[in-house]
Amino acid sequence: MIKGIDVSSYQPERYSTKGLDFVIIKITEGTSYTNPKWVAQRKTARDAGLVTGFYHFVRPGSMKKQADYFLSKIKLAPGDFLVLDWEDPGVSSDAKDEWLRYVQKQARGHKVLLYCNRDYWLNRDTSSFAADGLWVAQYNGKPGKPSIEAPWLIHQYTSTPLDTNVARWPDRAAMRAWATGKQQQEDDEMKLSDDVPIAKWVADAFPKQKGLQDRKISVQTALGSGYGYAHIAADNSTRILAQLGAQAATIDKLVDAIGQGGGLTAAEIKAAAEAGAQAALDRLGSALTTEED
């Protein structure tokens, strides 16, 4: 892992960069506050060759206006990444999602992260959406070991003597490659044994399925499961359609026999039969998933 800090107006314009690989700098808050030191703090980071990120402290109100205010303050350079600092209890999970998605669209080519503490992530977040990655704060004295199951990129593990973080890259070059988008090709070359994150709803939808609670699944397992479920669906569909075909043939014979015997017209009998067939089709969806239980 690599080490970095985050700074605001509480820190000096020139700070020690010894032993650091990245710095994340506060630019704005709400729609009226700008950190007066941020430009000089950025220069300190860039002079030291550090990877640089910039964050906005969100307040209740228009997410679009706050995002526009934040983006208007900075001329982005390749490799700059952007962060939403979600700490105000008056900002809902839906609102933070709105800010993140809007900034992703407005600043294409730049990574966008969510910063929040462990309590917000576990108890206030309702979507598990962190844009391009989660920066989680938990002062547990265990750098790189926040007590959450969700994938994370940066862990803020202490605020003494200043906010200090570790990030999940082997070195500065790897983090810079991520920030500039140059690692995309490497990501595409995924191995079958690699773990990939899954959405929270998957574990919730399949509570009895072992191995999903850590919200990770191997590529091989994911592909195998998809292949298996596709065959189950195909087999169930073939079986049910065959049954419906046999029923239709039987219905045609009944229509001829009963229609000749009187009582009901052939049209009336067909209408009743078609209603029964439709009921069978309505059961098709549930039948496709019977093997999942």
Side-chain angles (χ1 to χ4, degrees):
M1 292 192 181
I2 57 176
K3 185 177 180 181
I5 60 172
D6 52 282
V7 297
S8 65
S9 61
Y10 294 107
Q11 283 72 48
E13 295 179 351
R14 293 187 177 183
Y15 44 87
S16 174
T17 58
K18 184 178 180 180
L20 303 181
D21 290 295
F22 65 95
V23 173
I24 307 173
I25 302 165
K26 178 177 181 177
I27 297 184
T28 53
E29 181 174 330
T31 55
S32 59
Y33 174 79
T34 301
N35 171 14
K37 300 178 182 178
W38 85 266
V39 173
Q41 290 171 334
R42 177 181 61 181
K43 184 177 186 304
T44 298
R46 288 185 171 165
D47 286 349
L50 307 186
V51 180
T52 51
F54 305 92
Y55 74 88
H56 171 75
F57 192 104
V58 68
R59 293 295 189 184
S62 169
M63 294 297 106
K64 182 178 181 298
K65 288 181 179 179
Q66 292 190 58
D68 286 339
Y69 180 72
F70 170 62
L71 294 172
S72 72
K73 300 299 179 180
I74 182 173
K75 184 177 181 180
L76 293 169
D80 288 343
F81 63 93
L82 309 174
V83 183
L84 177 68
D85 184 344
W86 185 33
E87 298 183 53
D88 192 314
V91 179
S92 69
S93 179
D94 288 344
K96 65 91 175 169
D97 287 356
E98 180 185 350
W99 192 98
L100 291 170
R101 295 186 192 280
Y102 180 76
V103 172
Q104 282 184 309
K105 291 181 180 179
Q106 297 299 115
R108 295 188 184 279
H110 295 271
K111 300 295 186 181
V112 181
L113 304 184
L114 170 68
Y115 167 91
C116 66
N117 63 34
R118 178 177 180 271
D119 174 67
Y120 270 58
W121 182 252
L122 295 180
N123 300 314
R124 292 180 182 269
D125 176 83
T126 59
S127 66
S128 297
F129 181 65
D132 296 309
L134 176 63
W135 173 15
V136 64
Q138 184 186 19
Y139 304 153
N140 58 359
K142 299 177 181 179
K145 296 182 179 179
S147 52
I148 61 172
E149 295 178 343
W152 57 272
L153 289 180
I154 303 174
H155 176 206
Q156 185 185 82
Y157 63 90
T158 184
S159 60
T160 306
L162 73 168
D163 292 344
T164 309
N165 311 267
V166 291
R168 301 182 77 166
W169 285 277
D171 52 40
R172 185 187 305 179
M175 185 179 190
R176 194 180 303 281
W178 164 82
T180 56
K182 292 182 179 179
Q183 82 167 46
Q184 186 63 48
Q185 184 176 355
E186 297 177 5
D187 288 345
D188 290 342
E189 297 172 356
M190 191 172 289
K191 300 181 180 64
L192 291 177
S193 59
D194 288 345
D195 282 339
V196 292
I198 59 174
K200 180 178 182 296
W201 68 265
V202 177
D204 292 341
F206 302 97
K208 297 180 181 179
Q209 184 71 38
K210 294 182 180 180
L212 296 183
Q213 300 312 310
D214 59 358
R215 299 187 192 169
K216 289 183 180 179
I217 189 171
S218 72
V219 176
Q220 187 172 14
T221 300
L223 291 174
S225 297
Y227 182 77
Y229 283 125
H231 271 277
I232 291 172
D235 291 344
N236 283 332
S237 297
T238 301
R239 185 173 66 253
I240 292 172
L241 290 174
Q243 291 174 352
L244 290 175
Q247 289 174 358
T250 302
I251 289 169
D252 287 340
K253 291 180 180 179
L254 288 173
V255 167
D256 291 338
I258 298 175
Q260 294 174 7
L264 292 174
T265 66
E268 290 172 335
I269 296 168
K270 282 189 175 183
E274 287 171 358
Q278 184 60 53
L281 285 172
D282 290 340
R283 293 194 296 272
L284 176 59
S286 59
L288 292 177
T289 58
T290 53
E291 309 231 359
E292 291 181 6
D293 300 330

